[in-house]
Amino acid sequence: MLLLVSKHRSKSHIAQDLEAFFGAENSVKFTEWLWEELAPYDKTLKSSKKGNRVEVHTLDFSDNNFADAGIVEIAEKVSEKKFFGLKVLNLSKTNVQAYGISKLAHHKDNEIETLYLNNNNLCEDAAPEIALLIKGWRKSLRKLYLQNNKIEQGCKSIGDEIRVADDELTVLDLSNNNIG
């Protein structure tokens, strides 16, 4: 199953559309609907279930202004293993910053192989959190996309973490970060 929530829409606009489609159930927020209400609609969405978990390969939240608060919710749901088989998490253009990345980094026990954090205006202060994420997700993370941010000299701490460990990371895209 591929879940797309994109097209430069805010969280509230998406929630309104989903509530209109599924019926207004006490003003359900989008993220609550996604993880708490997705299972009953598995026939419609053609997803597989294991208990209360839903099989989801890719979650694409790109082009949404979730900021750190929304990313923290996503990180919590990923750590609660509300779904299985999650391999790709796209958080491009979600306005995530260092705090949100630190929360993602603490949820180490996951299966995510590809993480998109590009186009978030991440600054040097996010680099230590990104290094922690790489270290914590070492068992699963293979591709990390960080292009078009403002990490600049912070890339050194990311590089240091990669050099220290025998990583399985095969793609690290740091293009257009004003390095050097």
Side-chain angles (χ1 to χ4, degrees):
M1 178 177 102
L2 174 64
L3 183 62
L4 291 172
V5 184
S6 191
K7 307 227 187 226
H8 308 333
R9 312 250 352 256
S10 72
K11 185 177 174 180
S12 63
H13 287 119
I14 294 165
Q16 289 172 358
D17 287 351
L18 291 172
E19 288 172 7
F21 182 75
F22 291 110
E25 295 180 4
N26 300 323
S27 252
V28 177
K29 294 187 319 185
F30 170 71
T31 52
E32 290 172 348
W33 170 83
L34 179 62
W35 287 283
E36 294 171 12
E37 300 295 323
L38 187 56
Y41 298 106
D42 67 322
K43 289 180 183 173
T44 304
L45 297 172
K46 294 181 174 58
S47 62
S48 301
K49 285 177 37 176
K50 282 188 178 179
N52 290 332
R53 301 182 311 156
V54 177
E55 181 175 3
V56 178
H57 178 271
T58 300
L59 284 177
D60 186 340
F61 292 109
S62 62
D63 293 313
N64 286 287
N65 191 22
F66 288 141
D68 282 342
I71 301 306
V72 168
E73 287 185 53
I74 292 167
E76 289 171 0
K77 298 308 177 187
V78 167
S79 73
E80 291 171 8
K81 299 189 179 221
K82 291 290 185 177
F83 25 66
F84 63 96
L86 181 60
K87 302 291 184 196
V88 179
L89 181 58
N90 190 343
L91 301 175
S92 303
K93 293 184 180 179
T94 56
N95 201 25
V96 64
Q97 297 299 306
Y99 179 74
I101 292 172
S102 73
K103 293 302 180 184
L104 280 173
H106 285 76
H107 300 295
K108 301 171 187 170
D109 187 23
N110 66 65
E111 301 174 2
I112 297 171
E113 296 175 356
T114 304
L115 178 62
Y116 293 89
L117 292 171
N118 47 303
N119 299 300
N120 277 302
N121 290 318
L122 294 169
C123 297
E124 288 184 45
D125 65 335
E129 305 305 332
I130 294 167
L132 282 174
L133 185 138
I134 292 169
K135 182 178 181 179
W137 290 23
R138 185 164 284 129
K139 291 180 184 177
S140 63
L141 190 63
R142 302 294 171 261
K143 299 175 183 177
L144 179 58
Y145 296 92
L146 294 165
Q147 69 269 29
N148 301 318
N149 284 296
K150 298 176 183 174
I151 299 171
E152 299 173 348
Q153 298 306 315
C155 289
K156 182 182 180 323
S157 62
I158 295 169
D160 290 345
E161 180 55 45
I162 292 170
R163 278 195 302 271
V164 168
D166 182 23
D167 281 329
E168 295 294 325
L169 194 63
T170 59
V171 175
L172 175 62
D173 189 342
L174 290 166
S175 60
N176 197 22
N177 271 288
N178 295 326
I179 301 170

